[in-house]
Amino acid sequence: DDEDNGVFSIITALNLGRYKDHKCITELKEFLLSICHEKDKIGNLRSLLGDEAQKVGLLVSQCVVNLPPELLPPLYDALFDEISWATEDEPTEELRNSFRLKFYVVVSKFYKHKNANQKRSSSTDKDEAFVYIKPEDEILHKLSMWSFLFPLQTQQVTTHEVSRTQHQIYHHRSILVHL
């Protein structure tokens, strides 16, 4: 009956090449290609999901809402340590190679202010154009080589997700590619 024995977070990276024949990965690839309407990025996306898939990890991360943000850096450090160790410790060359990832794809939920595309007076205003649900997504977004956004159907904004509801916002997801 000890409540502290529950799972509070999960974080992993799945090699898109290794799991390319799994239905969920196939559907994810098809979905991402269908919603990317940015002509300058669709080629990069096709390459990552196709020819480069052996070097691409799908970063999956979910934490309970009230997980202290101070625990996130050690979680990510542990994941990348495990990936690094797996390139040396896995029993076969094929498995070791599947952990030699160069790129990570992240599908992230955030909110974008309705007037975010208007001219802003400072870089601080530009940073405030997005409201990230998970704090690590802001860092990943800033570190990404490129990303694209796609809107979802409008959903009711809940207070536990966004504390700054005084601005009109749209619900978006983004694709972040991080090297």
Side-chain angles (χ1 to χ4, degrees):
D1 292 335
D2 187 2
E3 292 181 23
D4 290 339
N5 288 332
V7 175
F8 296 101
S9 176
I10 183 168
I11 184 169
T12 192
L14 302 171
N15 182 302
L16 293 181
R18 181 176 177 190
Y19 297 106
K20 68 180 184 217
D21 296 328
H22 286 73
K23 183 179 177 185
C24 63
I25 298 297
T26 302
E27 289 175 351
L28 177 66
K29 288 179 180 181
E30 290 171 3
F31 173 73
L32 294 177
L33 290 169
S34 73
I35 51 97
C36 182
H37 299 293
E38 297 185 32
K39 293 181 182 185
D40 60 329
K41 299 190 178 144
I42 189 70
N44 291 338
L45 184 61
R46 276 195 186 103
S47 177
L48 282 177
L49 301 178
D51 297 339
E52 300 285 327
Q54 278 301 120
K55 302 175 195 169
V56 179
L58 173 65
L59 192 61
V60 179
S61 171
Q62 190 62 46
C63 303
V64 295
V65 174
N66 59 352
L67 184 78
E70 298 83 20
L71 295 179
L72 294 172
L75 285 172
Y76 279 86
D77 287 345
L79 172 67
F80 294 117
D81 284 347
E82 287 290 332
I83 290 170
S84 178
W85 296 332
T87 64
E88 299 171 3
D89 297 342
E90 286 298 322
T92 68
E93 186 67 25
E94 181 182 4
L95 281 174
R96 288 190 294 274
N97 287 339
S98 73
F99 288 98
R100 289 186 171 92
L101 303 172
K102 285 188 165 185
F103 307 99
Y104 293 91
V105 172
V106 178
V107 180
S108 174
K109 176 181 173 182
F110 67 91
Y111 295 94
K112 181 179 178 184
H113 291 283
K114 183 176 182 179
N115 299 325
N117 293 333
Q118 294 177 354
K119 286 188 176 181
R120 301 281 182 166
S121 60
S122 73
S123 62
T124 305
D125 290 339
K126 290 176 188 172
D127 293 340
E128 292 177 3
F130 301 112
V131 178
Y132 296 91
I133 304 306
K134 298 187 310 187
E136 67 269 27
D137 287 343
E138 181 175 6
I139 296 167
L140 292 172
H141 195 188
K142 288 179 180 178
L143 293 174
S144 66
M145 290 174 26
W146 55 270
S147 65
F148 70 90
L149 309 177
F150 59 97
L152 295 177
Q153 293 179 352
T154 304
Q155 294 182 356
Q156 188 68 23
V157 178
T158 59
T159 55
H160 82 275
E161 285 190 323
V162 178
S163 60
R164 295 186 277 174
T165 57
Q166 68 269 21
H167 300 285
Q168 290 182 314
I169 52 181
Y170 288 126
H171 185 191
H172 280 72
R173 294 221 185 243
S174 66
I175 304 302
L176 310 173
V177 178
H178 179 63
L179 173 62

